[in-house]
Each structure stands twice: as structure tokens, then as C-alpha cells.
Amino acid sequence: MAGEKPDYRFSLANERTFLAWIRTALALLAGGLACAQFLPPLPIPHLREGIAVALLLLGGVVALRAVDHWARTERAMRLGTDLPKSRFPAVLALIVALGALLLVVAVLIKAFS
Amino acid sequence: MSRDPGASAERTRLAWRRTGLSATAVALLATRPAFAPGAGTWTFLAAGAAMALWAGLIGLAYRRARGLNALPPQPGRLTVTTYAALTIGLAVLGGALVML
């Protein structure tokens, strides 16, 4: 790789951040598989499978971006440039919040109908 | 090399362990359908593939945990990339399982 070797403690911190993102990805995968296996069939056909596939897809994207961000951070540390900025955590938080909101609405509709 | 007061290697090793535990949860969920009555051939094959991916993830984490004993512990570029690839593999496998 280009540039100088950074302090190994920073490399290890970058590695731990990568692992935290991988755990996020694995949690999304577990959520997707759990949806498919433990939810009863929903009133809208294939909604259960749709939710499961969406969560699995999101998990895959998180893993992909985890390794990309790790590599870019490692490179920035070696070259002594600014660490890469990213909107991804905010986007992921918004997606999860939106999903939670939709579920709350669904539960409320079911409770009052 | 002096002792690392922040115990970075130790904390990184524990992070690998935690990640391995998360991977185990996913692998167990992926193999669960194979134990249901009337599981088909494809479900068995998916369970086998999930176990293989899981073994890869655990093996890599084990190797990296040993590598962290060295000073200075080099960042494992190949380990990190392969780990992410195996995780994506689990996502693809999960998608196939849901579609079955």
C-alpha cells in the first residue's frame, strides 16, 4: 500500500470499527432470517418475504460499505490526509427509523381495526 | 516495543470474538429450516453452505486473534476483505433461503 505505515493502534481502531459494522450487518441478516422464519403470514401476500429480503439486502450493503470504508480510512492514515467522510451512518439510521415508524403504524392500524 | 497502555490488541481480539458470536447466531438461523419436518434437498444444501461460511468466518477470526499477539500487529487486509466477502455470502444465502 502507498504511504507510510501509521501507528498500529490507529490501524487496530480502524479494524474494530470495521468489526462493529460487520456486527451491524450480521444483526440485519439475523433480523431478516428471523422475519422469514418467525413472522406469521401477513395480510399482504409476500410482505413477510419482502421484509426479510430487504433486511438481508441491507445487511449485505452494510458489509460491503464496511470493507470499503476500512480500506479508505487505512489509505487516508497512510497518506496523512483527512479521514473519509461518510453519510452512510445517517442514511442507515433514517432507513431503520422509517422501518420502525411503518411497523408502529401497522401495529396501530391492526389494534384499532 | 513498549507495552500498549490502551490494550488495543486485547480490545481488537475481543471485537473479533464478539463478531464471531454474531456470525454464529446468523449461521444457526440459516441452518434452522433444515431441521424442520419435510425439509427439501435445497434447504439441506443451504444449511451446509451456511456452515461452510460460518467455519470460514470463525477460522479467519481465530487466525487474526493469533496474529494480534505479534508486535506490531499488522492490519490484515486480506483477512478484512475476506471476512466482509463471507458476510455478503451469508446475505446472498439468506436471500436464497427466504425465496425457497
Side-chain angles (χ1 to χ4, degrees), chain A residues 1 5 8-9 11-13 15-16 18-20 22-23 25-27 29-34 36-38 48-50 52-53 56-57 59-61 63-64 66-67 70-71 74 78, chain B residues 1-2 4-5 7-9 11-12 15-16 18-19 22-23 25-26 29-30 32-33 57 64 68 71-77 80-81 83-84 87-88 90-91 94-95 97-99:
Chain A
M1 264 195 278
K5 215 171 260 177
Y8 76 86
R9 285 170 294 184
S11 286
L12 290 182
E15 191 172 323
R16 287 196 297 278
F18 163 78
L19 288 172
I22 287 290
R23 282 196 297 279
L26 287 168
L29 297 189
L33 288 171
Q37 294 180 21
F38 297 114
R48 181 180 57 178
E49 283 73 18
V53 168
L56 288 163
L57 204 64
V61 170
L64 196 63
V67 68
W70 176 87
E74 202 67 22
R78 281 173 169 269
Chain B
M1 171 125 355
S2 63
D4 174 7
S8 303
R11 286 188 286 135
T12 310
W16 278 103
R18 280 201 299 279
T19 313
S22 305
V26 175
L29 278 172
R32 208 183 83 98
L57 290 174
R64 182 64 187 139
L68 283 166
L71 268 177
Q74 296 296 334
R77 172 174 265 280
V80 164
T81 315
Y83 209 85
T87 308
I88 294 165
L90 270 179
L97 259 175
V98 171
M99 300 290 195

Coordinates of all heavy atoms in Angstrom, one line a residue, chain A residues 1 5 8-9 11-13 15-16 18-20 22-23 25-27 29-34 36-38 48-50 52-53 56-57 59-61 63-64 66-67 70-71 74 78, chain B residues 1-2 4-5 7-9 11-12 15-16 18-19 22-23 25-26 29-30 32-33 57 64 68 71-77 80-81 83-84 87-88 90-91 94-95 97-99:
Chain A
M1 N 0.8 -1.2 0.0 CA 0.0 0.0 0.0 C 0.9 1.3 0.0 O 2.0 1.2 0.5 CB -0.9 0.0 1.2 CG -2.3 -0.6 1.0 SD -3.5 -0.2 2.2 CE -3.1 -1.4 3.5
K5 N 3.5 3.7 7.1 CA 2.8 2.8 8.0 C 2.3 3.7 9.2 O 3.1 4.4 9.8 CB 3.7 1.7 8.5 CG 3.0 0.4 8.7 CD 3.9 -0.7 9.0 CE 4.2 -1.5 7.8 NZ 5.2 -2.6 8.0
Y8 N 0.3 1.6 14.8 CA -0.6 0.4 14.7 C -1.8 0.5 15.5 O -2.8 -0.2 15.3 CB 0.2 -0.9 15.1 CG 0.5 -1.1 16.6 CD1 -0.5 -1.7 17.3 CD2 1.6 -0.6 17.2 CE1 -0.3 -1.9 18.7 CE2 1.8 -0.8 18.5 CZ 0.9 -1.5 19.3 OH 1.1 -1.7 20.6
R9 N -1.8 1.3 16.6 CA -3.0 1.5 17.4 C -4.2 2.1 16.6 O -5.3 1.7 16.8 CB -2.7 2.3 18.7 CG -2.0 1.5 19.7 CD -1.5 2.4 20.8 NE -0.5 3.4 20.3 CZ 0.1 4.3 21.1 NH1 -0.1 4.3 22.4 NH2 1.0 5.1 20.6
S11 N -4.5 1.7 13.4 CA -4.9 0.6 12.5 C -5.9 -0.3 13.2 O -6.9 -0.8 12.6 CB -3.7 -0.2 12.0 OG -3.0 0.6 11.0
L12 N -5.6 -0.6 14.4 CA -6.4 -1.5 15.2 C -7.8 -0.9 15.5 O -8.8 -1.6 15.5 CB -5.7 -2.0 16.5 CG -4.5 -2.9 16.3 CD1 -4.0 -3.3 17.7 CD2 -4.9 -4.1 15.6
A13 N -7.8 0.4 15.8 CA -9.0 1.1 16.0 C -9.9 1.0 14.7 O -11.1 0.8 14.8 CB -8.8 2.5 16.4
E15 N -9.7 -1.3 12.5 CA -10.2 -2.7 12.4 C -11.4 -2.9 13.3 O -12.4 -3.6 12.9 CB -9.0 -3.6 12.8 CG -9.2 -5.1 12.5 CD -8.0 -5.9 12.8 OE1 -6.9 -5.3 12.5 OE2 -8.1 -7.0 13.3
R16 N -11.4 -2.4 14.5 CA -12.5 -2.5 15.4 C -13.8 -1.9 14.9 O -14.9 -2.4 15.0 CB -12.2 -2.0 16.8 CG -11.2 -2.9 17.6 CD -11.2 -2.5 19.1 NE -10.8 -1.1 19.3 CZ -9.5 -0.8 19.4 NH1 -8.6 -1.7 19.3 NH2 -9.2 0.5 19.6
F18 N -14.4 -1.5 11.7 CA -14.9 -2.4 10.7 C -15.7 -3.6 11.3 O -16.8 -3.9 10.8 CB -13.7 -3.0 9.9 CG -13.9 -4.2 9.1 CD1 -14.6 -4.1 7.9 CD2 -13.6 -5.4 9.6 CE1 -14.9 -5.2 7.2 CE2 -13.8 -6.6 8.9 CZ -14.5 -6.5 7.6
L19 N -15.2 -4.1 12.4 CA -15.9 -5.3 13.0 C -17.2 -4.8 13.6 O -18.2 -5.6 13.5 CB -15.0 -5.9 14.1 CG -13.8 -6.6 13.6 CD1 -12.9 -7.0 14.7 CD2 -14.2 -7.9 12.8
A20 N -17.3 -3.6 14.1 CA -18.6 -3.1 14.6 C -19.6 -3.0 13.5 O -20.8 -3.4 13.6 CB -18.4 -1.8 15.3
I22 N -19.5 -4.8 10.7 CA -19.8 -6.2 10.3 C -20.9 -6.8 11.3 O -21.8 -7.5 10.8 CB -18.5 -7.1 10.3 CG1 -17.7 -6.7 9.1 CG2 -18.9 -8.6 10.3 CD1 -18.2 -7.1 7.8
R23 N -20.7 -6.5 12.6 CA -21.8 -6.9 13.5 C -23.1 -6.3 13.2 O -24.1 -7.0 13.3 CB -21.3 -6.6 14.9 CG -20.3 -7.6 15.5 CD -20.2 -7.5 17.0 NE -19.8 -6.2 17.5 CZ -18.6 -5.8 17.5 NH1 -17.6 -6.5 17.1 NH2 -18.3 -4.6 17.9
A25 N -24.1 -5.5 10.2 CA -24.5 -6.3 9.0 C -25.1 -7.6 9.5 O -26.2 -8.1 9.0 CB -23.4 -6.5 8.1
L26 N -24.4 -8.3 10.4 CA -24.8 -9.7 10.8 C -26.1 -9.6 11.6 O -27.0 -10.4 11.5 CB -23.7 -10.3 11.7 CG -22.5 -10.8 10.9 CD1 -21.4 -11.2 11.9 CD2 -22.8 -12.0 10.1
A27 N -26.3 -8.5 12.3 CA -27.6 -8.3 13.1 C -28.7 -8.1 12.1 O -29.8 -8.7 12.3 CB -27.5 -7.1 14.0
L29 N -28.8 -9.3 9.0 CA -29.0 -10.7 8.4 C -29.9 -11.5 9.4 O -30.8 -12.2 9.0 CB -27.7 -11.4 8.2 CG -26.7 -10.7 7.2 CD1 -25.6 -11.7 6.9 CD2 -27.4 -10.4 5.9
A30 N -29.5 -11.5 10.7 CA -30.2 -12.3 11.6 C -31.7 -11.8 11.7 O -32.6 -12.7 11.8 CB -29.6 -12.2 13.0
G31 N -31.9 -10.5 11.6 CA -33.3 -10.0 11.6 C -34.0 -10.4 10.4 O -35.2 -10.8 10.5
G32 N -33.4 -10.4 9.3 CA -34.1 -10.9 8.0 C -34.5 -12.3 8.1 O -35.6 -12.7 7.8
L33 N -33.5 -13.2 8.5 CA -33.8 -14.6 8.6 C -34.9 -14.9 9.7 O -35.8 -15.7 9.5 CB -32.5 -15.4 9.0 CG -31.5 -15.5 7.9 CD1 -30.2 -16.1 8.4 CD2 -32.1 -16.3 6.7
A34 N -34.8 -14.1 10.8 CA -35.9 -14.3 11.9 C -37.2 -13.9 11.4 O -38.2 -14.5 11.7 CB -35.5 -13.5 13.1
A36 N -38.3 -14.1 8.3 CA -38.8 -15.1 7.4 C -39.3 -16.3 8.2 O -40.2 -17.0 7.8 CB -37.7 -15.5 6.4
Q37 N -38.6 -16.6 9.3 CA -38.9 -17.9 10.0 C -39.9 -17.8 11.1 O -40.6 -18.7 11.4 CB -37.6 -18.5 10.6 CG -36.6 -18.9 9.5 CD -35.3 -19.4 10.1 OE1 -35.3 -19.8 11.2 NE2 -34.3 -19.4 9.3
F38 N -40.1 -16.6 11.7 CA -40.9 -16.5 12.9 C -42.2 -15.6 12.7 O -43.1 -15.7 13.6 CB -40.1 -16.0 14.1 CG -38.9 -16.9 14.5 CD1 -37.6 -16.5 14.3 CD2 -39.2 -18.1 15.0 CE1 -36.6 -17.3 14.6 CE2 -38.2 -19.0 15.3 CZ -36.9 -18.6 15.1
R48 N -44.1 -10.6 4.1 CA -43.1 -11.2 5.1 C -41.7 -11.4 4.4 O -40.7 -11.0 4.8 CB -43.6 -12.5 5.7 CG -42.7 -13.2 6.6 CD -43.4 -14.4 7.2 NE -43.7 -15.3 6.1 CZ -44.2 -16.5 6.3 NH1 -44.5 -16.9 7.5 NH2 -44.5 -17.4 5.3
E49 N -41.8 -12.1 3.2 CA -40.6 -12.4 2.4 C -39.9 -11.1 2.0 O -38.7 -11.0 1.9 CB -40.9 -13.3 1.2 CG -41.1 -14.7 1.6 CD -42.5 -15.0 2.3 OE1 -43.4 -14.1 2.2 OE2 -42.6 -16.1 2.9
G50 N -40.8 -10.1 1.6 CA -40.2 -8.8 1.2 C -39.4 -8.1 2.3 O -38.3 -7.6 2.0
A52 N -38.1 -9.6 4.8 CA -36.9 -10.4 5.1 C -35.8 -10.1 4.1 O -34.6 -9.9 4.4 CB -37.2 -11.9 5.1
V53 N -36.2 -10.1 2.8 CA -35.2 -9.8 1.7 C -34.6 -8.4 1.8 O -33.4 -8.2 1.6 CB -35.8 -10.1 0.3 CG1 -34.9 -9.6 -0.8 CG2 -36.0 -11.6 0.1
L56 N -32.0 -8.5 4.5 CA -30.8 -9.2 4.1 C -30.0 -8.4 3.1 O -28.8 -8.3 3.2 CB -31.2 -10.5 3.5 CG -31.8 -11.6 4.4 CD1 -32.5 -12.7 3.7 CD2 -30.6 -12.2 5.2
L57 N -30.7 -7.7 2.2 CA -30.1 -6.8 1.2 C -29.3 -5.7 2.0 O -28.1 -5.4 1.7 CB -31.1 -6.3 0.3 CG -30.6 -5.8 -1.1 CD1 -30.1 -7.0 -1.9 CD2 -31.8 -5.2 -1.8
G59 N -28.2 -5.7 5.0 CA -27.1 -6.3 5.7 C -25.9 -6.5 4.7 O -24.7 -6.2 5.1
G60 N -26.2 -7.0 3.5 CA -25.1 -7.1 2.5 C -24.5 -5.8 2.2 O -23.2 -5.7 2.1
V61 N -25.3 -4.8 2.0 CA -24.8 -3.5 1.6 C -23.9 -2.9 2.8 O -22.8 -2.3 2.5 CB -25.9 -2.5 1.3 CG1 -25.4 -1.1 1.2 CG2 -26.6 -2.9 0.0
A63 N -22.2 -4.6 4.9 CA -20.9 -5.4 4.9 C -20.0 -4.8 3.8 O -18.8 -4.6 4.0 CB -21.1 -6.8 4.7
L64 N -20.5 -4.6 2.7 CA -19.8 -4.1 1.5 C -19.2 -2.7 1.8 O -18.0 -2.4 1.6 CB -20.7 -3.9 0.3 CG -20.0 -3.8 -1.1 CD1 -19.2 -5.0 -1.4 CD2 -21.0 -3.6 -2.1
A66 N -18.7 -1.5 4.8 CA -17.7 -1.7 5.9 C -16.3 -1.9 5.4 O -15.4 -1.2 5.9 CB -18.2 -2.8 6.8
V67 N -16.1 -2.8 4.4 CA -14.8 -3.0 3.9 C -14.3 -1.9 3.1 O -13.1 -1.5 3.2 CB -14.8 -4.4 3.2 CG1 -15.5 -4.3 1.9 CG2 -13.3 -4.8 2.9
W70 N -13.2 0.8 5.6 CA -12.0 0.4 6.2 C -10.8 0.7 5.3 O -9.8 1.2 5.8 CB -12.0 -1.1 6.5 CG -10.8 -1.6 7.1 CD1 -10.4 -1.6 8.5 CD2 -9.6 -2.2 6.4 NE1 -9.2 -2.2 8.6 CE2 -8.7 -2.5 7.4 CE3 -9.4 -2.5 5.1 CZ2 -7.4 -3.1 7.1 CZ3 -8.1 -3.0 4.8 CH2 -7.2 -3.4 5.8
A71 N -10.9 0.3 4.0 CA -9.8 0.5 3.1 C -9.5 2.0 2.9 O -8.3 2.4 2.9 CB -10.1 -0.2 1.8
E74 N -7.8 3.3 6.0 CA -6.4 2.9 6.1 C -5.5 3.7 5.2 O -4.4 4.1 5.5 CB -6.4 1.4 5.7 CG -5.3 0.6 6.2 CD -5.2 0.4 7.8 OE1 -6.3 0.6 8.4 OE2 -4.1 0.2 8.3
R78 N -2.4 6.3 6.0 CA -1.1 6.1 5.4 C -0.6 7.4 4.7 O 0.6 7.7 4.8 CB -1.1 4.9 4.4 CG -1.0 3.6 5.1 CD -1.2 2.4 4.2 NE -0.9 1.2 4.9 CZ 0.3 0.7 4.9 NH1 1.3 1.2 4.3 NH2 0.6 -0.4 5.6
Chain B
M1 N 9.6 -3.0 21.8 CA 8.4 -2.2 21.8 C 7.8 -2.1 23.2 O 7.7 -3.2 23.8 CB 7.4 -2.7 20.7 CG 6.0 -2.1 20.8 SD 5.3 -1.3 19.3 CE 6.4 -1.4 18.0
S2 N 7.4 -0.9 23.6 CA 6.8 -0.8 25.0 C 5.4 -1.4 25.0 O 4.7 -1.5 24.0 CB 6.8 0.6 25.4 OG 6.0 1.4 24.6
D4 N 1.5 -1.6 25.4 CA 0.5 -0.7 24.9 C -0.5 -0.4 26.0 O -1.2 -1.3 26.4 CB -0.2 -1.3 23.7 CG -1.4 -0.5 23.2 OD1 -1.6 0.6 23.7 OD2 -2.1 -1.0 22.4
P5 N -0.5 0.8 26.6 CA -1.3 1.1 27.8 C -2.8 1.0 27.5 O -3.6 0.8 28.4 CB -0.9 2.5 28.2 CG -0.3 3.1 27.0 CD 0.3 2.0 26.2
A7 N -4.2 -1.3 25.6 CA -4.6 -2.7 25.3 C -5.3 -2.8 24.0 O -6.4 -3.5 23.9 CB -5.4 -3.2 26.5
S8 N -4.8 -2.1 23.0 CA -5.5 -2.1 21.7 C -5.7 -3.5 21.1 O -6.8 -3.9 20.6 CB -4.7 -1.3 20.7 OG -4.6 0.0 21.2
A9 N -4.6 -4.3 21.2 CA -4.7 -5.6 20.7 C -5.7 -6.5 21.4 O -6.5 -7.2 20.8 CB -3.3 -6.3 20.8
R11 N -8.4 -5.4 23.0 CA -9.8 -5.0 22.6 C -10.1 -5.4 21.2 O -11.3 -5.8 21.0 CB -9.9 -3.4 22.8 CG -9.9 -3.0 24.2 CD -10.2 -1.6 24.4 NE -9.0 -0.8 24.0 CZ -9.1 0.3 23.2 NH1 -10.2 0.7 22.8 NH2 -8.0 1.0 23.0
T12 N -9.1 -5.4 20.3 CA -9.4 -5.8 19.0 C -9.7 -7.3 19.0 O -10.6 -7.8 18.3 CB -8.2 -5.5 18.1 OG1 -7.9 -4.2 18.3 CG2 -8.5 -5.8 16.6
A15 N -13.2 -7.8 20.0 CA -14.1 -7.4 19.0 C -14.3 -8.5 18.0 O -15.4 -8.8 17.5 CB -13.6 -6.2 18.3
W16 N -13.2 -9.2 17.6 CA -13.2 -10.4 16.7 C -14.1 -11.5 17.3 O -14.9 -12.1 16.7 CB -11.8 -10.9 16.4 CG -11.1 -10.2 15.3 CD1 -10.1 -9.3 15.5 CD2 -11.4 -10.2 13.9 NE1 -9.7 -8.8 14.3 CE2 -10.5 -9.4 13.3 CE3 -12.3 -11.0 13.1 CZ2 -10.4 -9.2 12.0 CZ3 -12.2 -10.8 11.8 CH2 -11.3 -9.9 11.2
R18 N -16.6 -11.2 19.6 CA -18.0 -10.7 19.5 C -18.6 -10.9 18.1 O -19.7 -11.4 18.0 CB -18.1 -9.2 19.9 CG -18.1 -8.9 21.3 CD -18.7 -7.6 21.6 NE -18.0 -6.5 20.9 CZ -16.9 -5.9 21.4 NH1 -16.3 -6.3 22.5 NH2 -16.3 -4.9 20.7
T19 N -17.8 -10.6 17.1 CA -18.2 -10.7 15.8 C -18.5 -12.2 15.4 O -19.5 -12.5 14.8 CB -17.2 -10.1 14.8 OG1 -16.9 -8.8 15.3 CG2 -17.8 -9.9 13.4
S22 N -21.8 -13.2 16.8 CA -22.9 -12.7 15.9 C -23.0 -13.6 14.7 O -24.2 -13.9 14.3 CB -22.6 -11.2 15.5 OG -22.4 -10.4 16.6
A23 N -21.9 -14.0 14.1 CA -21.9 -14.8 12.9 C -22.5 -16.2 13.3 O -23.3 -16.8 12.5 CB -20.5 -15.0 12.4
A25 N -24.9 -16.7 15.5 CA -26.4 -16.6 15.5 C -27.0 -16.6 14.1 O -28.0 -17.3 13.9 CB -26.7 -15.2 16.2
V26 N -26.3 -16.0 13.2 CA -26.8 -16.0 11.8 C -26.7 -17.4 11.2 O -27.7 -17.8 10.6 CB -26.0 -15.0 10.9 CG1 -26.5 -15.0 9.5 CG2 -26.2 -13.5 11.4
L29 N -29.5 -19.5 12.5 CA -30.8 -19.2 11.9 C -30.9 -19.8 10.5 O -31.9 -20.2 10.0 CB -31.0 -17.7 11.9 CG -31.6 -17.1 13.2 CD1 -31.5 -15.6 13.1 CD2 -33.0 -17.6 13.4
A30 N -29.7 -19.8 9.8 CA -29.7 -20.2 8.4 C -29.8 -21.8 8.3 O -30.3 -22.3 7.3 CB -28.4 -19.8 7.7
R32 N -31.5 -23.6 10.6 CA -32.8 -24.0 11.3 C -33.8 -24.6 10.4 O -34.3 -25.7 10.7 CB -33.4 -22.8 12.0 CG -34.2 -23.1 13.2 CD -34.8 -21.9 13.8 NE -36.1 -21.5 13.1 CZ -37.3 -21.9 13.5 NH1 -37.4 -22.5 14.7 NH2 -38.4 -21.6 12.8
P33 N -34.0 -24.1 9.2 CA -35.0 -24.7 8.3 C -34.7 -26.2 8.0 O -35.6 -27.0 7.7 CB -35.0 -23.9 7.0 CG -34.5 -22.6 7.5 CD -33.5 -22.8 8.6
L57 N -15.6 -17.8 8.6 CA -15.6 -16.6 9.5 C -14.9 -16.9 10.8 O -14.1 -16.1 11.3 CB -17.0 -16.2 9.7 CG -17.8 -15.6 8.6 CD1 -19.3 -15.3 8.9 CD2 -17.2 -14.3 8.1
R64 N -6.7 -14.3 13.0 CA -6.4 -12.9 13.2 C -6.1 -12.7 14.7 O -5.2 -11.9 15.1 CB -7.6 -12.0 12.8 CG -7.4 -10.5 13.0 CD -6.2 -10.0 12.2 NE -6.0 -8.6 12.5 CZ -4.7 -8.1 12.6 NH1 -3.7 -8.9 12.4 NH2 -4.6 -6.8 12.9
L68 N -2.7 -11.1 16.3 CA -2.6 -9.9 17.2 C -1.6 -10.0 18.3 O -1.3 -9.1 19.0 CB -4.0 -9.6 17.8 CG -5.0 -9.0 16.8 CD1 -6.4 -9.1 17.3 CD2 -4.7 -7.6 16.5
L71 N 3.9 -8.2 17.6 CA 4.1 -6.7 17.8 C 5.0 -6.2 16.7 O 6.1 -6.7 16.5 CB 4.7 -6.4 19.1 CG 3.8 -6.2 20.3 CD1 4.5 -5.9 21.6 CD2 2.9 -5.0 20.0
P72 N 4.6 -5.1 15.9 CA 3.3 -4.6 15.9 C 2.3 -5.4 15.2 O 2.7 -6.0 14.2 CB 3.5 -3.2 15.2 CG 4.6 -3.5 14.3 CD 5.5 -4.5 14.9
P73 N 1.1 -5.5 15.6 CA 0.1 -6.4 14.9 C -0.3 -5.7 13.6 O -0.8 -4.6 13.6 CB -1.1 -6.5 15.9 CG -0.9 -5.4 16.9 CD 0.5 -4.8 16.8
Q74 N 0.1 -6.4 12.5 CA -0.2 -5.8 11.2 C -1.7 -5.8 10.9 O -2.3 -6.8 11.2 CB 0.6 -6.5 10.1 CG 2.1 -6.4 10.3 CD 2.6 -5.0 10.1 OE1 2.0 -4.2 9.4 NE2 3.7 -4.7 10.8
P75 N -2.2 -4.8 10.2 CA -3.6 -4.9 9.8 C -3.8 -6.0 8.7 O -3.0 -6.0 7.8 CB -4.0 -3.5 9.2 CG -2.7 -3.0 8.8 CD -1.6 -3.6 9.7
G76 N -4.7 -6.9 8.9 CA -4.9 -7.9 7.9 C -5.8 -7.5 6.8 O -7.0 -7.7 6.9
R77 N -5.2 -7.0 5.7 CA -6.0 -6.5 4.6 C -6.8 -7.7 4.0 O -8.0 -7.6 3.8 CB -5.1 -5.9 3.5 CG -5.8 -5.6 2.2 CD -4.8 -4.8 1.3 NE -5.0 -3.4 1.4 CZ -6.0 -2.7 0.8 NH1 -6.9 -3.3 0.1 NH2 -6.0 -1.4 0.9
V80 N -9.6 -8.9 6.4 CA -10.7 -8.0 6.5 C -11.6 -8.1 5.2 O -12.8 -8.3 5.3 CB -10.2 -6.5 6.6 CG1 -11.3 -5.5 6.3 CG2 -9.7 -6.3 8.1
T81 N -10.9 -8.1 4.0 CA -11.7 -8.3 2.8 C -12.4 -9.6 2.7 O -13.6 -9.6 2.3 CB -10.7 -8.1 1.6 OG1 -9.8 -7.0 1.8 CG2 -11.5 -7.9 0.3
Y83 N -13.4 -11.5 5.2 CA -14.4 -11.5 6.2 C -15.7 -10.8 5.7 O -16.8 -11.4 5.8 CB -13.9 -10.8 7.5 CG -14.6 -11.4 8.7 CD1 -14.0 -12.5 9.3 CD2 -15.7 -10.8 9.3 CE1 -14.6 -13.0 10.5 CE2 -16.3 -11.3 10.4 CZ -15.7 -12.5 11.0 OH -16.3 -13.0 12.1
A84 N -15.5 -9.7 5.1 CA -16.7 -9.0 4.5 C -17.3 -9.8 3.4 O -18.5 -9.9 3.3 CB -16.2 -7.6 4.0
T87 N -19.4 -12.5 4.8 CA -20.6 -12.0 5.3 C -21.6 -11.7 4.2 O -22.8 -12.0 4.4 CB -20.3 -10.7 6.1 OG1 -19.3 -10.9 7.0 CG2 -21.5 -10.2 6.8
I88 N -21.1 -11.1 3.1 CA -22.0 -10.9 1.9 C -22.5 -12.2 1.4 O -23.7 -12.4 1.0 CB -21.3 -10.1 0.9 CG1 -21.0 -8.7 1.4 CG2 -22.1 -10.0 -0.4 CD1 -20.0 -7.9 0.6
L90 N -23.2 -14.8 3.2 CA -24.3 -15.2 4.1 C -25.5 -14.5 3.7 O -26.6 -15.0 3.8 CB -23.9 -14.9 5.6 CG -23.2 -16.0 6.4 CD1 -22.9 -15.5 7.8 CD2 -24.0 -17.3 6.5
A91 N -25.4 -13.2 3.3 CA -26.6 -12.4 3.0 C -27.2 -13.0 1.7 O -28.5 -13.2 1.7 CB -26.2 -11.0 2.7
G94 N -28.9 -16.2 2.7 CA -30.1 -15.9 3.4 C -31.2 -15.6 2.4 O -32.4 -16.1 2.6
G95 N -30.9 -14.8 1.4 CA -31.9 -14.4 0.4 C -32.4 -15.6 -0.3 O -33.6 -15.8 -0.5
L97 N -32.5 -18.7 0.8 CA -33.3 -19.4 1.8 C -34.7 -18.9 1.9 O -35.7 -19.6 2.0 CB -32.6 -19.4 3.2 CG -31.8 -20.6 3.6 CD1 -31.2 -20.3 4.9 CD2 -32.7 -21.8 3.7
V98 N -34.8 -17.5 1.9 CA -36.1 -16.9 2.0 C -37.0 -17.2 0.8 O -38.2 -17.4 0.9 CB -36.0 -15.4 2.3 CG1 -37.3 -14.7 2.2 CG2 -35.3 -15.1 3.6
M99 N -36.3 -17.2 -0.4 CA -37.0 -17.4 -1.7 C -37.4 -18.9 -1.8 O -38.3 -19.1 -2.6 CB -36.1 -17.0 -2.8 CG -35.6 -15.6 -2.8 SD -37.0 -14.5 -3.2 CE -36.1 -13.0 -3.5

